[in-house]
Amino acid sequence: MDITIPTVLKALSYSGSAMKSITLWSNKSKGDTRALIGELKDNLLYLDMVALDNVPLGDVAEKLSILEYKRLSKEGFNFNKLNKDRIAKYRSLKGSDLESWGGKTTEELVVSIYDKITEIKIRFPHVGNNKNFR
């Protein structure tokens, strides 16, 4: 089963817990880490509007940002510095589409998130009205 970004975000942002966690994480961070977390937070806010408030993706697609990620990637930033531990294997995710993330690195997660955001920014303007684009 394919999983869409709004579905994932709806699950992650249940009761605003994802946003609260990101805000706390950002408050404890400095420099490049804080800049990247801020960008992730802004992107989550935009995508939350799509998932929870029925805002059309076209209204937010070009507002999604990948600038900090691209800058840090170019500079050779170690995304595992965001969290040195591997992603925990949460029992609550067993049997879900998110189960496979257990044991992966933070860098793998960050790269995957930004790959999806980049795909939206590139593809949506061209195929957004196509019934095969989700």
Side-chain angles (χ1 to χ4, degrees), residues 36-103:
L36 183 68
I37 294 169
E39 184 173 77
L40 283 167
K41 182 179 176 182
D42 291 350
N43 288 336
L44 179 58
L45 283 169
Y46 283 123
L47 292 170
D48 258 354
M49 290 189 299
V50 174
L52 303 175
D53 302 324
N54 297 315
V55 172
L57 182 57
D59 291 355
V60 300
E62 71 178 50
K63 294 176 178 155
L64 297 171
S65 177
I66 58 173
L67 296 174
E68 288 299 324
Y69 172 73
K70 291 284 188 182
R71 178 183 69 83
L72 293 172
S73 292
K74 186 177 178 181
E75 293 175 3
F77 184 78
N78 178 3
F79 293 103
N80 287 322
K81 284 175 54 177
L82 298 169
N83 184 354
K84 292 175 178 63
D85 297 329
R86 290 188 172 265
I87 298 169
K89 294 183 180 187
Y90 295 104
R91 202 174 308 163
S92 62
L93 297 179
K94 188 157 180 78
S96 78
D97 292 327
L98 300 176
E99 180 180 16
S100 66
W101 282 101

Side-chain angles (χ1 to χ4, degrees), residues 2 7 15 18-19 40 47 55 64 70 72 78 80 86 88 96-97 104 107 116 118-119 130 132-133:
D2 287 330
T7 303
S15 298
M19 194 58 66
L40 283 167
L47 292 170
V55 172
L64 297 171
K70 291 284 188 182
L72 293 172
N78 178 3
N80 287 322
R86 290 188 172 265
S96 78
D97 292 327
K104 292 189 179 180
E107 182 164 353
K116 298 296 185 201
T118 300
E119 182 178 354
N130 185 320
N132 295 326
F133 183 74

Side-chain angles (χ1 to χ4, degrees), residues 4 123 126-134:
T4 62
R123 296 188 68 162
H126 306 287
V127 298
N129 292 325
N130 185 320
K131 66 180 180 174
N132 295 326
F133 183 74
R134 301 184 322 169

